[in-house]
Amino acid sequence: MSTTTGRKSYGVKGAPYAHPSPATARKGALRAPYFFLLPASVLFALFFALPIGYAVFLSFRKVHVSGLGLGAGARHEVWAGFENYTDAFQDSELLHGALRVLGYGCIVVPVMLGLALLFALMLDSERVRLAPVTRLAIFLPYAIPGVVAALMWGFLYLPSVSPFYYVLQKLHMPQPNLLDGGPLYLAISNIAVWGGTGFNMIVIYTSLRSIPVEVYEAARLDGATPLQIALRIKIPMVAPSLVLTFFFSIIATLQVFNEPTTLKPLTNSLNTSWSPLMKVYQDAFHRGDIYAAAAEATLIALATLVLSFGFLRAANRRTKQEAAG
Amino acid sequence: MPHTKRRRLVTSALAVALGATTLAACGSGDDSKSESGPVSLTYWTWTPGMDKVVDLWNKGPGKKDRITVTVKKQASGDTLVTKILTAHKAKKAPDLVQAEYQALPTLVSNDALADISKEVGDVKGKFADGVWQQTTLGTNAVYAVPQDIGPMMFYYRADLFKKYGLKVPTTWQQFAETARALKKQAPDKYLTTFSANDSGLFAGLAQQAGATWWTTSGDKWKVAIDDAATRKVATFWGGLVKDGVIDNQPMYQPAWNKAMNTGQEIGWVSAVWAPGTLTTAAPDTKGKWAMAPLPQWSEDQDVTGSWGGSSTAVTTDSAHKEAAAEFAAWLNTDHDALNALATDGGIYPASTSAQLSGAFSNPPAFFSNQPDFYTKAAGIAKTTVPSAWGPNVNVAYASFNDAFGAAAKDKSDFGAALKKMQDATVADMKKQGFGVSR
């Protein structure tokens, strides 16, 4: 944008500065945008495009071993075509992992965003006391590293060391096993909700604060109750933030790794490939098959792109329709 | 606790016998031991306190031969194997690496380890045959010098065994009876747990029962994870879990620590390094434990398996293989070095003469009640049966974690889990292109 303006100034106003010749100036001006783009492009190419390209390249390779595979020259890297991809598609563990993450996401995303919205609305209402302290308290878990959070919750989930279980036992209440079966999903989701709600709340809250007060005033003059204001005015007006937080949450869900990995040693119910990313890690660093891992990582990246941008498009279309209607 | 596995990263073919070695070999044909200039070596290890041991070298024999070793502390087990293979791919692996025995075939098959038979061949006599054989992979080559070993033993709470009138089991049959007897007397206690999170334990138990998981004939591997011996072990433990007479929770986690510390679990099938683990996991039980040989499958037998243990290897990327091999031999056979390794690193040496000397004349502090701890341990170590490892131990182990983890949780058929482990291992080898015979 700035470059366009720059070019115009040469043509329209002539030459306020001493230029060698208009032709050179124009050429220089034509080059200028590329020059400005250079640092970003180089960094992008080096640290983004190149590694991704290499990962994709690796995903089409494999190692071929001959005979016993001992000694020099027993292993060769060869082209694999789509073999790693077909294997990944046929691998029931990857599919099951994806389904597990889907189940996990169905719990985490609605609960986390619901709570975030609720807290944001409550903080925004005038009746709340100690708003800054409360805001900080809700946000704080986000500042705790995921692994630490998972470890802490892990201790709380283990019947023999958890204070909660101690109390339940004293009260002769049932003591559910949170690290098994269905409750395990709740246990893992809980860690994510605990850690992520604060961040999403801040995003929504910030956008609530930017709504002009006149809007509320008008609503109040029209006789709207605080609840009506929240439902009819605030929520629709922060819809773009909700879309954004939803978008982030989908991505975070698809990348779930820390929580199940940290909880894994605590229970037999979490296997080494509980989530797709854990499977990638397992293949790359335990099985040492970086080729299969590269193919799986590529698939996960594609799925993330399709899901998250698919959602964004759908959300945008709706907003436009609403705007038009 | 060491687990293992490792990897199959690629390597391109050629080993590099680079510059310096070649030059040294040419330049000083008369004296094969010395190289032409000061040599500096890098050593990747996870043993705690290794820098102190290496200091002994740098100030002593190393100074004389002008060979300086630098320690780079690493994560243990399979993580390091992956790292070594990745570095080796770029021809930048360090001169010396620590490697668990079961990782050696993997490293060798990636051409990451140099054959140092010429340099260290004469130290063979310092080690038990079963231990040494793991570093040769049954060939004439020598790929590493044994450092520590983990002969398996049975640990039990002497005080609680007495309290419940239990006898220390000498056969697995008795072990099962003891577990049932305890359950009857104290329903909230377990003799032990079957943990699916450390494959090394199961591998060691199978080894004791006589299993040989990987063998070669001609240019084909034979995988016998699902053989009669291992099946016997799997069925035995599966039965105990199914009947609920032992626990099914994984080891090394807060709940297990608590169970060990409070006497909810009163026994542990483990290895010689157990005192270290118990010191941190069950600090309140100091002086209450005792160690006995592993129960046997038949009365007339006296064998044990091994769980853990590692070696020092020289990589093919090293430009100073001779110097590196000299250090590896010194580290694992020299009296002072081994004494320091035991004191600072807490390892149990593979070298037979070191098992009774220096640091091992007194029992570990946690077992002060058992003065002959290390005499007994050295006796047990002698009964270790040889083990055989293949090129994809990591896959077998990962498959063990998942299949047996699920079986232990559901208290279902361990035999089916074993079959899964066998199938996954064979399928992986076939996929990679290894010759596999049925």
Side-chain angles (χ1 to χ4, degrees):
Chain A
M1 228 200 257
S2 61
T3 46
T4 333
T5 342
R7 230 169 98 195
K8 231 184 221 163
S9 74
Y10 288 119
V12 176
K13 287 189 188 155
Y17 313 107
H19 284 297
S21 86
T24 339
R26 200 166 303 129
K27 230 185 238 166
L30 280 172
R31 257 186 249 125
Y34 298 104
F35 179 74
F36 284 120
L37 276 174
L38 196 65
S41 319
V42 168
L43 289 176
F44 178 84
L46 273 182
F47 298 109
F48 208 77
L50 202 67
I52 291 180
Y54 185 57
V56 173
F57 167 76
L58 282 179
S59 71
F60 291 104
R61 309 277 289 174
K62 67 169 184 178
V63 160
H64 187 80
V65 180
S66 34
L68 286 178
L70 295 175
R75 281 162 191 261
H76 302 277
E77 196 179 310
V78 294
W79 282 103
F82 282 93
E83 200 183 310
N84 290 327
Y85 288 94
T86 46
D87 283 354
F89 277 116
Q90 283 165 9
D91 191 332
S92 61
E93 252 321 289
L94 197 64
L95 178 70
H96 288 150
L99 291 176
R100 282 188 283 256
V101 165
L102 192 71
Y104 158 84
C106 286
I107 305 174
V108 172
V109 179
V111 173
M112 180 166 72
L113 295 186
L115 282 176
L117 179 63
L118 182 70
F119 290 146
L121 287 172
M122 282 162 66
L123 280 177
D124 192 49
S125 78
E126 280 131 38
R127 268 186 248 158
V128 165
R129 281 183 211 129
L130 294 174
V133 180
T134 321
R135 202 168 59 219
L136 187 69
I138 300 173
F139 182 74
L140 210 55
Y142 180 69
I144 292 176
V147 173
V148 176
L151 263 182
M152 185 193 82
W153 280 103
F155 271 71
L156 295 176
Y157 293 154
L158 276 174
S160 60
V161 290
S162 165
F164 294 143
Y165 280 88
Y166 180 77
V167 173
L168 287 179
Q169 196 185 352
K170 289 284 161 209
L171 297 174
H172 300 287
M173 307 256 283
Q175 302 168 39
N177 183 357
L178 285 172
L179 290 173
D180 196 12
L184 179 67
Y185 286 84
L186 294 178
I188 300 178
S189 306
N190 175 49
I191 304 175
V193 169
W194 181 80
T197 302
F199 170 77
N200 291 301
M201 176 201 73
I202 293 288
V203 174
I204 300 170
Y205 178 73
T206 314
S207 106
L208 273 176
R209 299 307 284 178
S210 65
I211 300 175
V213 273
E214 299 87 66
V215 179
Y216 300 146
E217 223 173 271
R220 238 172 275 137
L221 285 176
D222 284 346
T225 63
L227 183 67
Q228 280 172 324
I229 293 181
L231 292 179
R232 300 262 178 88
I233 297 181
K234 290 186 176 177
I235 295 184
M237 289 193 89
V238 297
S241 307
L242 286 174
V243 169
L244 184 76
T245 49
F246 199 91
F247 177 69
F248 285 156
S249 306
I250 292 182
I251 295 178
T253 300
L254 289 167
Q255 297 178 345
V256 61
F257 178 80
N258 285 346
E259 294 86 358
T261 306
T262 314
L263 291 183
K264 196 178 97 55
L266 305 183
T267 168
N268 285 326
S269 306
L270 278 164
N271 62 15
T272 48
S273 46
W274 190 83
S275 84
L277 265 196
M278 285 170 77
K279 168 111 173 96
V280 173
Y281 181 81
Q282 175 74 13
D283 281 345
F285 298 107
H286 287 264
R287 285 186 48 227
D289 189 348
I290 51 171
Y291 312 98
E296 288 156 9
T298 310
L299 286 177
I300 295 174
L302 283 177
T304 313
L305 272 180
V306 169
L307 273 175
S308 49
F309 282 98
F311 164 76
L312 262 195
R313 276 193 69 168
N316 281 343
R317 203 178 305 136
R318 248 197 98 184
T319 330
K320 269 186 204 140
Q321 273 171 4
E322 269 169 17
Chain B
M1 8 189 30
H3 326 172
T4 305
K5 321 170 183 181
R6 82 10 151 141
R7 169 345 167 300
R8 133 188 10 142
L9 290 187
V10 176
T11 43
S12 39
L14 288 183
V16 248
L18 277 172
T21 325
T22 327
L23 286 179
C26 301
S28 54
D30 52 336
D31 184 356
S32 64
K33 264 218 147 182
S34 71
E35 307 208 13
S36 45
V39 169
S40 103
L41 304 170
T42 316
Y43 177 21
W44 283 2
T45 172
W46 63 80
T47 306
M50 183 60 90
D51 37 351
K52 286 186 202 155
V53 186
V54 166
D55 270 352
L56 291 178
W57 164 267
N58 288 339
K59 285 177 188 148
K63 198 169 183 184
K64 206 177 89 216
D65 295 352
R66 296 209 284 168
I67 300 168
T68 316
V69 178
T70 312
V71 168
K72 295 258 166 79
K73 195 84 194 297
Q74 304 294 325
S76 67
D78 48 324
T79 326
L80 182 55
V81 175
T82 307
K83 196 169 164 180
I84 296 168
L85 291 176
T86 311
H88 173 61
K89 206 177 166 188
K91 304 264 170 265
K92 293 237 164 70
D95 303 275
L96 292 144
V97 292
Q98 180 173 10
E100 287 177 298
Y101 296 113
Q102 69 272 33
L104 292 175
T106 299
L107 289 166
V108 170
S109 86
N110 281 285
D111 197 27
L113 300 188
D115 174 8
I116 47 173
S117 52
K118 284 196 190 69
E119 291 84 0
V120 303
D122 54 333
V123 301
K124 182 178 182 215
K126 304 258 187 189
F127 305 97
D129 286 345
V131 173
W132 183 257
Q133 159 261 334
Q134 296 187 81
T135 67
T136 65
L137 310 186
T139 65
N140 292 327
V142 174
Y143 293 105
V145 182
Q147 180 159 86
D148 59 323
I149 52 171
M152 292 176 71
M153 296 144 184
F154 176 58
Y155 291 84
Y156 61 98
R157 282 285 297 274
D159 56 335
L160 295 179
F161 260 59
K162 203 171 165 195
K163 182 176 166 195
Y164 297 115
L166 302 172
K167 260 180 55 192
V168 181
T170 56
T171 63
W172 288 111
Q173 176 76 33
Q174 288 175 17
F175 182 87
E177 284 159 14
T178 310
R180 285 176 218 281
L182 172 70
K183 200 79 209 144
K184 219 172 259 164
Q185 290 199 45
D188 61 327
K189 290 194 185 306
Y190 291 107
L191 178 57
T192 185
T193 183
F194 179 84
S195 167
N197 68 351
D198 196 330
S199 348
L201 168 60
F202 184 69
L205 289 170
Q207 182 192 343
Q208 186 212 16
T212 321
W213 284 357
W214 282 271
T215 45
T216 58
S217 66
D219 62 348
K220 291 208 155 142
W221 287 93
K222 186 168 168 37
V223 180
I225 291 173
D226 191 6
D227 66 347
T230 316
R231 195 154 267 272
K232 179 168 71 181
V233 176
T235 318
F236 175 79
W237 289 91
L240 292 178
V241 168
K242 195 175 170 207
D243 296 348
V245 291
I246 63 168
D247 200 5
N248 61 353
Q249 291 307 306
M251 302 179 293
Y252 313 140
Q253 43 110 347
W256 181 78
N257 291 353
K258 192 175 176 208
M260 296 299 268
N261 200 26
T262 55
Q264 198 202 336
E265 276 177 31
I266 68 166
W268 187 25
V269 172
S270 186
V272 69
W273 40 260
T277 308
L278 289 174
T279 309
T280 44
D284 299 346
T285 58
K286 187 177 175 187
K288 293 178 180 167
W289 291 82
M291 178 267 283
L294 212 56
Q296 303 292 320
W297 284 104
S298 71
E299 298 266 9
D300 53 348
Q301 258 180 342
D302 184 17
V303 289
T304 192
S306 54
W307 179 8
S310 67
S311 61
T312 313
V314 176
T315 69
T316 46
D317 295 344
S318 171
H320 310 284
K321 294 192 188 63
E322 260 175 71
E326 190 188 331
F327 169 77
W330 172 85
L331 179 67
N332 299 309
T333 55
D334 182 81
H335 179 81
D336 294 336
L338 286 170
N339 211 8
L341 267 179
T343 324
D344 296 320
I347 66 133
Y348 187 74
S351 157
T352 40
S353 63
Q355 287 166 7
L356 286 173
S357 71
F360 298 102
S361 38
N362 293 316
F366 204 78
F367 280 74
S368 50
N369 52 317
Q370 199 168 15
D372 62 343
F373 185 94
Y374 281 122
T375 325
K376 230 173 169 175
I380 294 172
K382 279 201 195 82
T383 66
T384 310
V385 289
S387 42
W389 305 109
N392 66 340
V393 176
N394 56 328
V395 173
Y397 275 18
S399 164
F400 169 85
N401 292 148
D402 288 344
F404 280 80
K409 182 187 76 146
D410 302 337
K411 304 194 171 185
S412 65
D413 183 12
F414 276 30
L418 187 64
K419 183 156 189 313
K420 261 189 212 161
M421 192 177 161
Q422 160 92 16
D423 292 348
T425 311
V426 171
D428 174 73
M429 288 180 78
K430 281 193 177 150
K431 191 183 155 200
Q432 290 191 65
F434 285 103
V436 185
S437 63
R438 263 289 2 184

